[in-house]
Amino acid sequence: MEKKLTVDKAKIEGKRVLVRVDYNVPLEGTRVADDTRIRGSLPTVRHLLERGARPILVSHLGRPDGKVVESLRMDPVVKRAGELLGRPVRKAPGCIESEVQGMARAMKEGDVLFLENVRFYAGEEEGDPKFAGQLAALAEAYVNDAFGACHRPHASVVGVTRHLSSSAGLLLKKEIEYARCIFESGETPFAAVLGGAKVSDKIPILESLIETVDSFLIGGAMAYTFLRARGVDVGASRVEEACLETAARILEKCEAGNVRALLPVDHVVARSPKDTAGMQTVTDIPAGWMGCDIGPQTAALYEGELARSRMVILNGPMGVFENPKFAQGTKRIVRAMAESQGVTIVGGGDSVHAVETFGAAERMSHISTGGGAFLEMLAHRTLPGIEALAGA
Ligand code: AMP
């Protein structure tokens, strides 16, 4: 990935700056239930204000599919952003209309303007050049601080960069630095811990990382497709039949490329994640039983691998960690990462949640703010929204 111009190096003094943020936050009625994402890009907004720029914030919220949806108006988000910034934030009634263009032109130093939900316009998700041009007409420069949207070639993510000088915001800068670190730092040994529910989601990531990592530590339901591909009986564990061939091919590729693909050697099994009566730890899964977590021997094996690694990424839990009975494997992996002296990177909604649940968030080098975007970045080594930004 090419180095990108970042907002701290961009010429933005006195300019109106369109800032793409990812404020797609959970709402409870008209209240923001979790403001983590809003807090995440406040440093960029403050940085712009300190340098005399006039930020015009734009985000999507939910999936209104190109129409106005009353419950998805930005008002609760704008209110919370204003409270956190400690200054009034004006909300525009739309994104591109002449009234909004007028509000943008009338901005004075210290003003912050917030546009309406950008996905109220069909042109956003279509990446319509006309809509991108209308958005860009509001401003004299563009900053992208929405890593969570960078995998989308949308108008406010990619299209506007064709009209405005563009740079990465401070939050996106950190994400780009760690993405470059994953693929280009050459830190070794490099272990990728992959888990979660579906192999099909993770195949592009495995294929992309195979060139870079020294070992894959595989857990979660996806491990059972790999074990099955190796001819191991996995009882009633979740197997994606359609992925068996691909799984076998990936294991072969690992072998040929000297990448160690570690699979669970023992398991915590139950009749189902909900029916835990008689749950037990086994090395061979009996018929009718389902692997719901990696067992203690596997956890110890993976801990050993993590202790000697200089770079570790985690995506996906090792078991059905939402149930404390099946959380031990994920907990041990997360703790081992927290103790690592190397670079530790976590991404994906469930993994971030697990790291927070086990109190290890502060001890990771980087927790990615992009769920789907993080997965796409691992799979493609870059993202359209990042590629579109000016080089450093
Ligand atoms: P993902 O979104 O692909 O990262 O998957 C996360 C989900 O995978 C979590 O909700 C876990 O409960 C689930 N999961 C992890 N391990 C297993 C397993 N062995 N069997 C079934 N589901 C699992």
Side-chain angles (χ1 to χ4, degrees), residues 143-382:
V143 169
N144 186 341
D145 214 20
F147 180 65
C150 278
H151 56 317
R152 312 279 190 205
H154 294 171
S156 70
V157 179
V158 173
V160 289
T161 64
R162 303 206 173 97
H163 302 272
L164 296 168
S165 60
S166 60
S167 60
L170 301 175
L171 186 66
L172 184 57
K173 175 183 174 181
K174 192 168 174 239
E175 296 280 359
I176 294 175
E177 276 168 9
Y178 278 98
R180 287 171 55 89
C181 179
I182 291 173
F183 291 109
E184 291 162 37
S185 69
E187 278 295 346
T188 181
F190 182 161
V193 190
L194 297 177
K198 287 172 78 184
V199 187
S200 40
D201 288 352
K202 311 285 157 104
I203 283 170
I205 298 174
L206 285 153
E207 306 242 31
S208 149
L209 287 174
I210 219 165
E211 315 274 320
T212 313
V213 303
D214 298 286
S215 57
F216 285 121
L217 279 51
I218 299 178
M222 66 181 275
Y224 298 103
T225 302
F226 280 95
L227 284 169
R228 190 77 202 78
R230 271 199 182 153
V232 177
D233 214 338
V234 298
S237 306
R238 277 177 67 159
V239 169
E240 281 174 70
E241 297 287 337
C243 294
L244 281 173
E245 249 175 63
T246 313
R249 189 169 44 78
I250 288 173
L251 291 175
E252 273 167 31
K253 245 181 158 175
C254 286
E255 209 166 316
N258 267 337
V259 173
R260 294 178 343 112
L262 301 187
L263 295 173
V265 292
D266 62 343
H267 319 269
V268 180
V269 298
R271 287 291 179 186
S272 84
K274 292 213 169 78
D275 177 7
T276 58
M279 61 180 271
Q280 51 187 313
T281 300
V282 297
T283 47
D284 298 312
I285 304 177
W289 291 77
M290 186 177 173
C292 293
D293 192 13
I294 56 172
Q297 283 181 50
T298 311
L301 178 74
Y302 289 7
E303 282 166 350
E305 191 70 22
L306 295 177
R308 60 180 211 94
S309 295
R310 301 289 309 156
M311 166 90 84
V312 182
I313 62 173
L314 169 68
N315 174 250
M318 297 291 99
V320 186
F321 79 105
E322 298 90 339
N323 181 341
K325 289 179 176 157
F326 305 121
Q328 200 57 25
T330 306
K331 192 171 180 176
R332 284 181 63 172
I333 296 305
V334 163
R335 295 252 160 103
M337 282 181 71
E339 278 159 27
S340 162
Q341 302 300 307
V343 180
T344 48
I345 301 173
V346 180
D350 279 307
S351 318
V352 174
H353 181 56
V355 167
E356 281 165 356
T357 307
F358 303 133
E362 300 296 313
R363 297 178 63 194
M364 299 297 165
S365 310
H366 178 58
I367 295 189
S368 176
T369 54
F374 181 73
L375 302 189
E376 294 281 328
M377 185 278 293
L378 289 182
H380 304 291
R381 299 176 167 236
T382 187

Side-chain angles (χ1 to χ4, degrees), residues 4-23:
K4 294 294 173 184
L5 181 65
T6 51
V7 64
D8 45 323
K9 308 264 165 52
K11 292 197 179 70
I12 42 88
E13 280 79 7
K15 289 185 180 169
R16 278 175 278 126
V17 181
L18 183 69
V19 190
R20 178 58 158 102
V21 287
D22 179 7
Y23 288 175

